[in-house]
Amino acid sequence: MEMFMPEEPNADSKLMEQFIENATPKLLEALTEHVSKQVEESISGLKDASQKMLDEIKDQKRAAAAQAAQDKAEADRLKAMLDRKDDAATINAGLTPEPITLTRMQARDPALYRRAKAQAEKQGTTIQIVSED
């Protein structure tokens, strides 16, 4: 029985080294592309979430600024009325916003009535139902 013996004992290791030497750049390139895609996808999700959060913060700041401006306008109106020494009834009437007016037919629509009620609460006023004359 004869065993197969390579002519050079290191022939297999030389072939392996050549394979590794030739394959390594291609494997690294493929791995880099794969990892890059995964990193971009992860970063994209974080970027979208942070953009959404920043937009919400900006919206809250705008709402707070609008509320502050409205509060200042009301305070200025009150100060002007007090400076003119208006009576309490006149001051109350001047500071109370106009009621939201609905006709009887409009008030019968539940969705419209709910929206009007929510708007009235937001404005600090009431709903007034009037006849359709």
Side-chain angles (χ1 to χ4, degrees):
M1 234 195 230
E2 287 184 39
M3 291 188 92
F4 176 73
M5 296 280 293
E7 294 179 16
E8 293 181 33
N10 292 330
D12 287 338
S13 62
K14 285 182 182 179
L15 285 175
M16 186 57 80
E17 286 176 15
Q18 287 177 346
F19 172 76
I20 292 171
E21 189 176 303
N22 291 332
T24 300
K26 292 177 184 175
L27 289 171
L28 286 174
E29 184 179 328
L31 183 62
T32 302
E33 287 178 22
H34 180 70
V35 170
S36 295
K37 286 179 185 176
Q38 286 183 335
V39 168
E40 285 179 29
E41 289 173 6
S42 296
I43 289 174
S44 174
L46 292 173
K47 181 182 173 190
D48 292 344
S50 64
Q51 186 63 45
K52 182 180 176 186
M53 190 181 305
L54 287 173
D55 289 344
E56 289 173 1
I57 290 170
K58 286 179 185 177
D59 290 345
Q60 289 173 353
K61 285 183 178 180
R62 279 189 218 111
Q67 184 63 46
Q70 182 180 1
D71 291 347
K72 182 176 179 346
E74 288 179 15
D76 290 346
R77 211 172 334 140
L78 175 61
K79 184 178 183 312
M81 289 178 185
L82 291 172
D83 288 346
R84 287 192 313 246
K85 298 188 182 347
D86 289 347
D87 62 51
T90 305
I91 291 173
N92 269 340
L95 294 177
T96 304
E98 293 293 319
I100 294 177
T101 306
L102 295 176
T103 65
R104 291 183 190 276
M105 286 297 285
Q106 291 170 330
R108 288 186 186 123
D109 181 345
L112 180 62
Y113 186 82
R114 280 193 299 272
R115 290 184 72 192
K117 183 177 178 183
Q119 185 66 29
E121 288 175 0
K122 183 178 175 184
Q123 293 177 351
T125 188
T126 60
I127 295 178
Q128 183 178 26
I129 299 174
V130 295
S131 63
E132 292 156 29
D133 300 353

